[in-house]
Amino acid sequence: MGKVVTISAKIPEEVYKEFVLRVPEGERSSFIREAIIEKLQKIPRPDRIFEMEKRIAKIEDEISQIKKYLAELELVTTEKGKVNPYTFCLDTLDQKIIDYLIHYKGATTPELAEHTKTNRWLVLNRLRRINKLSKKQIGKPIVEYYAGEKSGKRKAWWINQELIET
């Protein structure tokens, strides 16, 4: 055993009385020391948890890369793998955005902001997040921005009809 450090701890009076009854006076320090060591052995070290989180994130990235490559090679058929667009939604705001896009096929950010009664920057950030997340998970974006004119709208977001299940 290395250098010994003194600590103090506050415990309930009932626990202290039980402790005095059960553990002889000369062995109390070693009892507490062994109890702390035993408890610490059951708890994983934070650096190991951090290391495991990094490994899991790396595996998830590699799996999404594989899905992306398969989608690019069109080995993953979109017919079998039609996606529920609501899986990329965080909350009701995202669901309202997706509902509007499904119903109208596309919309500008001001239209979506008016429909959801929020500001257009929040809507834009949500659309970008949905785009990025869907591209990462399935290899293709579920919503896309098109700056040109399409169906009478300019600079609008469009839902990818081929990917969604209706």
Side-chain angles (χ1 to χ4, degrees):
M1 189 164 52
K3 181 180 174 186
V4 179
V5 179
T6 304
I7 62 167
S8 66
K10 292 184 179 184
I11 57 172
E13 189 174 350
E14 305 84 44
V15 175
Y16 177 73
K17 287 178 182 177
E18 193 69 29
F19 176 68
V20 170
L21 281 174
R22 291 187 185 192
V23 182
E25 193 172 326
E27 298 175 17
R28 291 179 185 161
S29 254
S30 62
F31 178 84
I32 293 171
R33 188 180 317 109
E34 289 170 6
I36 291 171
I37 291 170
E38 183 180 318
K39 185 75 174 182
L40 283 174
Q41 287 175 343
K42 293 179 182 177
I43 300 171
R45 297 183 69 178
D47 57 338
R48 295 214 42 213
I49 293 172
F50 180 68
E51 182 182 311
M52 292 169 88
E53 286 175 346
K54 284 188 349 189
R55 289 177 61 197
I56 289 171
K58 183 180 175 186
I59 290 170
E60 287 174 343
D61 287 342
E62 289 173 354
I63 288 173
S64 66
Q65 249 343 82
I66 291 170
K67 284 183 180 178
K68 182 180 175 185
Y69 292 142
L70 290 175
E72 286 174 1
L73 295 172
E74 295 182 4
L75 293 175
V76 175
T77 60
T78 54
E79 200 58 46
K80 181 181 177 189
K82 289 215 175 210
V83 180
N84 179 359
Y86 298 102
T87 58
F88 305 107
C89 297
L90 282 180
D91 56 10
T92 55
L93 176 63
D94 288 354
Q95 291 171 355
K96 286 179 184 178
I97 292 170
I98 293 294
D99 284 340
Y100 193 88
L101 288 174
I102 289 173
H103 186 266
Y104 293 104
K105 312 292 185 243
T108 62
T109 50
E111 289 173 340
L112 289 167
E114 185 179 314
H115 174 72
T116 58
K117 295 175 179 53
T118 58
N119 73 43
R120 67 185 186 94
W121 292 104
L122 178 61
V123 171
L124 178 63
N125 289 333
R126 294 297 183 99
L127 286 165
R128 286 179 178 161
R129 188 194 53 75
I130 292 169
N131 182 311
K132 183 179 177 183
L133 187 61
S134 63
K135 192 182 289 187
K136 182 178 181 182
Q137 287 185 7
I138 61 174
K140 295 180 181 177
I142 198 101
V143 291
E144 293 179 301
Y145 177 75
Y146 181 66
E149 189 165 329
K150 180 177 175 182
S151 298
K153 295 184 188 283
R154 289 190 46 170
K155 297 183 178 179
W157 287 86
W158 300 90
I159 193 137
N160 191 337
Q161 294 293 327
E162 299 168 356
L163 295 177
I164 64 168
E165 53 187 36
T166 51

